[in-house]
Amino acid sequence: MSSSVSSVVNGGISFWYADDGFPAVREPLGGDASADVVIVGGGYTGLWTAYYLKKAVPFLRITVLEQKFCGYGASGRNGGWLYNGIAGRDRYAKLHGREAAVRLQKVMNETVDEVVRAADEEGIEADIHKGGVLEVATTPAQLVRLKAFHELELSYGEKDRELYGAGETARRIRVADAVGSTWTPHGARLHPVKLVKGLAAAVEALGVTIHELTPVAEIRPKHAVTPYGTVRAPYILRCTEGFTASLKGQRRTWLPMNSSMIATEPLTDEQWESVGWDGREALGDMAHAYMYAQRTADGRIALGGRGVPYRFGSKTDNDGRTQAATVEALREILVRFFPSLAGVGIEHAWSGVLGVPRDWCATVTLDRSTGLGWAGGYVGSGVATTNLAARTLRDLVQFDSGQGGRTELTDLPWVGHKVRKWEPEPFRWLGVQGMYATYRAADRRERATYSAESSKLAQFADRVAGRH
C-alpha cells in the first residue's frame, strides 16, 4: 500500500536511529577541566580524530565535547555512502597542480578500505557492503556529463573505473530510462548509526573522555567554553561540520546545507526482482540537483536529495523533521527511477545539515600559532572524508608537538586551505534558494527537451555558487 505523507514517521533524528535505537547518553562536563587535546563535536570527524590520536599517542589526555549525543548531526543522518569523492579536488588541481590532486584522490581511494579495515578491527558491525558506486544517466544531457565525469576520474588515476551502456546498466539495476552509467569499486554502503555508535564505544574503550549534552559556545586558543565550565588544552580541534555556524564568530564560516532522505518499507522478493540491484552498489545520478540511494541491509531503499536546501540565518533543523513537500518530491524521484515501486510504502523521512564552504572545498587545518585546528566542509561526501581528515589532524598535531614529522597526509593540497566567508543575510539565503531552484529547473528542462546539451541554467547557477 502507498503511504500518505501524514503516515510517515518524520524526524526522530533519522531512520537509522529508529532502526538501531538511541544510545545511552553520556554525562555532561562536570566543571572546569584540562586535557592535552579537546575535540569539539562527537560525529565522525571528532571520533575518528580521537581514535587515531589515542592509538598513536596512548598517553594523551583527549576530551570530546558533544552538544547532544555522538552522531546527532550528519554522522547519524547521512545516506551511508562510504565513497572516494572529495569536495574541491578540481580546484586543488588548479591551485596546486595536477599531481597534488592525483595524490589527494589516491588517498581518498585508500580511505574507503581504511574505514572498512578499522571497523573490522574494532568489531564494529555496520552493515558494510563494498559494492562500489554506480552513477546513472537518464537523459542525453546527463549522459554527456557522465562520460565527461568518467574520463575525468580516469585522468585522476582511477584506472579501475568502468563505463556501462544502457544494457549493462540494466543488468546491474533497472533504473527507468537509464542510458548509461559509470561504476567505481571505491565505495560501499553502510549503516551510519551503527558505525558512529561503534566508533564512540571504541574511542571510549581506548581511554578517551566523552562528554555529551555539553554544547560549546565559544572556541578560543587553549579554551573550549561551555555552560558547565571551560576545558583548557594546548590543542582545540573544531569538528562541528554543519553545526559550525552556532559557534561564536563562525556564523558565516560554513553554510549549513540541508539534505533530506526517505526510507521505504522493506521490499518483497518480487519487488527486488523488478529492481535488480543485486550488487548493492551505492546509487547516484548525474542530475544537477542529484539524488543518492542505497539498498539497506534489511531490504529497504533509502534515498536522499536536497529538499529545502537552507534555512535563513544559518539555522539548523529540529531533530530531523522534514517538510511534506520534500517527502513527496523524494518519493517522486523513487517512482521515476523505479516505476514498479509506485505502491511501495514510505516509512520514514528525515533531514540533516552538511557543511558547505564558500568555494565548496573540504579542508583540514592546524594553526601552529594558536593550537586551533579544524576539519570539514565535506559538502556531502563526509562518510569517508572524515576518516582522512582525522588521520591528517593526527599527523598535524604530532608534527606540531614534536612527536612526528611531516607525512604524506600533512602535505596534501587541502591542508591549510583558506576560504572567504559566506555573504551576510539576506544575500546567502536568496543565493542558495535561487541556486537550487535553478538547478531543479535545469533538470526539468533537460528531461523535457531530451537534448544532449546541458542546460545553460545550470551553468549560470554554478557560477553564482562559486563551484567553478
Side-chain angles (χ1 to χ4, degrees), residues 17 20-23 26 70 124 192-202:
Y17 279 112
D20 199 59
F22 283 95
R26 298 168 175 88
C70 289
I124 300 171
V193 162
K194 289 182 180 178
L195 177 61
V196 77
K197 284 163 73 170
L199 186 53

Side-chain angles (χ1 to χ4, degrees), residues 6 22 52 158 174 184 194 288 293-294 323 392 447 455:
S6 62
F22 283 95
Y52 287 111
E158 200 181 329
R174 284 183 277 284
T184 175
K194 289 182 180 178
H288 301 292
Q294 68 150 286
Q323 289 188 336
T392 306
R447 286 197 299 273
S455 170

Side-chain angles (χ1 to χ4, degrees), residues 26 37 39 46-47 49-55 57-58 60-65 199-211:
R26 298 168 175 88
V37 179
I39 294 169
L47 293 173
T49 301
Y51 176 80
Y52 287 111
L53 262 175
K54 190 68 172 175
K55 294 269 275 193
V57 192
L60 281 180
R61 296 174 304 137
I62 301 173
T63 296
V64 176
L65 303 175
L199 186 53
V203 163
E204 220 165 24
L206 289 171
V208 172
T209 300
I210 301 176
H211 290 297

Side-chain angles (χ1 to χ4, degrees), residues 365-398:
T365 297
L366 180 66
D367 184 337
R368 301 188 70 183
S369 67
T370 62
L372 297 178
W374 57 89
Y378 307 121
V379 195
S381 58
V383 180
T385 315
T386 50
N387 180 278
L388 177 60
R391 287 182 286 128
T392 306
L393 278 173
R394 170 201 63 193
D395 289 0
L396 289 168
V397 169
Q398 285 193 267

Side-chain angles (χ1 to χ4, degrees), residues 228-261:
Y228 307 117
T230 296
V231 187
R232 292 168 173 79
Y235 298 101
I236 311 287
L237 306 180
R238 189 186 81 222
C239 303
T240 47
E241 187 56 357
F243 290 86
T244 300
S246 65
L247 290 163
K248 183 177 179 180
Q250 304 292 336
R251 177 61 59 87
R252 292 163 53 199
T253 300
W254 290 331
L255 185 136
M257 185 78 76
N258 202 54
S259 200
S260 300
M261 294 197 70

Side-chain angles (χ1 to χ4, degrees), residues 212-225:
E212 296 181 324
L213 299 174
T214 305
V216 173
E218 182 182 2
I219 293 171
R220 56 178 188 261
K222 298 181 173 53
H223 296 75
V225 182

Side-chain angles (χ1 to χ4, degrees), residues 77 258-262 292 303-309 311 320-323 326-327 330 349-352 354:
R77 309 189 198 191
N258 202 54
S259 200
S260 300
M261 294 197 70
I262 57 174
Y292 51 94
L303 180 147
R306 279 293 172 266
V308 177
R311 290 176 170 81
R321 282 198 61 80
T322 301
Q323 289 188 336
T326 298
V327 179
L330 292 173
W350 71 99
S351 296
L354 47 99

Side-chain angles (χ1 to χ4, degrees), residues 271-294:
Q271 287 170 323
W272 279 121
E273 182 66 29
S274 74
V275 169
W277 212 344
D278 294 336
R280 292 163 174 74
E281 303 91 342
L283 175 68
D285 74 348
M286 298 305 292
H288 301 292
Y290 50 83
M291 59 76 72
Y292 51 94
Q294 68 150 286

